[in-house]
Amino acid sequence: MGTVKRQPWVVGVSGASGTPYAASVIRALLAAGEAVDLIVSRAARLTILDETGISFRDAHWRADLAAWLGTEGPDDGLDGVRYWPAGDFAAGPSSGSYPAKGMLVVPATTGAVAGIALGLSKDLLQRVASVTLKERRPLVVCVRETPLNGVTLKHLVELDAQGAVVLPASPGFYAGGSTARELVDFVAGRVLDAVDVPHSLYLRWEGELGAAARRADDNGGVRPEGE
């Protein structure tokens, strides 16, 4: 009997502020039983260090990723993750024959947006995004910048025209989010919604005004476990 082919989601982390969005997406993908191929740009390493105090190093990526996700320990839950350095253009996902499900760029800088829209492939993250588009696989670009100038808006329109999902990191408050973590999880949940990966990162709208607040009150101000 043949072995089951590993088919990961590629998560590209660029240098924009908002690395908690990426961490939430990765945790949720792994919780859903999905395999993850991770690419962290050189600029993103500086952002991770600035926002978390954690150095992300190629040679120690697993320990650093566990620290970033908060899963340190003998069972760090990262067996489903494969890491590719941003400068490795011979990496598996750089080829259209590599069996990836699609790609999530979280967060996306305006520079990454431009590079992907124009097909520049300046690093592995941009190259894999271009491959994702040409293979007609799902690509979600979670842009984290404000305000946006006209050039970036044109690049985002171009990405939409090429089939990508342009998903600004814009948290919704109707889900009852009252902490930074809940607002981060809302955006991460919307990223996963775009590619039909199940999760329980936020309370969904069910057509009833105030439902999220009442559910929180029923639980002493705390969302139910797993939501």
Side-chain angles (χ1 to χ4, degrees):
M1 296 179 62
T3 57
V4 177
K5 182 186 295 184
R6 181 178 182 273
Q7 202 172 7
W9 288 101
V10 181
V11 177
V13 185
S14 76
S17 176
T19 56
Y21 295 124
S24 182
V25 165
I26 295 167
R27 282 192 295 262
L29 284 170
L30 296 175
E34 299 285 348
V36 173
D37 275 22
L38 179 63
I39 303 168
V40 179
S41 75
R42 290 184 174 88
R45 297 184 192 192
L46 297 176
T47 308
I48 292 171
L49 178 62
D50 184 51
E51 294 184 345
T52 70
I54 296 168
S55 297
F56 198 96
R57 303 157 293 176
D58 287 348
H60 304 281
W61 71 265
R62 183 159 181 157
D64 295 342
L65 179 60
W68 181 25
L69 301 183
T71 61
E72 303 101 321
D75 182 13
D76 58 16
L78 301 180
D79 289 342
V81 180
R82 187 170 185 180
Y83 173 71
W84 303 96
D88 184 7
F89 281 89
S94 67
S95 171
S97 65
Y98 187 79
K101 288 185 175 180
M103 184 177 190
L104 315 173
V105 183
V106 187
T109 62
T110 56
V113 166
I116 298 168
L118 299 175
L120 298 182
S121 296
K122 285 189 172 182
D123 60 8
L124 182 62
L125 187 155
Q126 293 182 21
R127 168 60 185 169
V128 176
S130 294
V131 168
T132 302
L133 287 173
K134 80 179 182 68
E135 296 295 326
R136 302 296 191 265
R137 295 169 182 160
L139 172 65
V140 180
V141 178
C142 184
V143 60
R144 213 307 305 162
E145 184 62 82
T146 190
L148 297 173
N149 64 27
V151 173
T152 297
L153 290 171
K154 289 177 181 177
H155 289 153
L156 292 173
V157 170
E158 176 60 27
L159 286 177
D160 178 78
Q162 293 184 42
V165 174
V166 175
L167 197 152
S170 302
F173 294 84
Y174 63 82
S178 58
T179 67
R181 173 64 182 272
E182 288 173 338
L183 296 175
V184 164
D185 285 348
F186 178 91
V187 172
R190 296 298 288 151
V191 170
L192 297 179
D193 288 345
V195 291
D196 295 324
V197 172
H199 66 86
S200 56
L201 288 173
Y202 67 88
L203 299 176
R204 297 185 180 277
W205 174 252
E206 296 180 347
E208 184 180 355
L209 293 175
R214 285 193 294 275
R215 291 180 68 180
D217 289 341
D218 290 342
N219 288 274
V222 180
R223 293 191 306 173
E225 185 67 27
E227 295 185 338

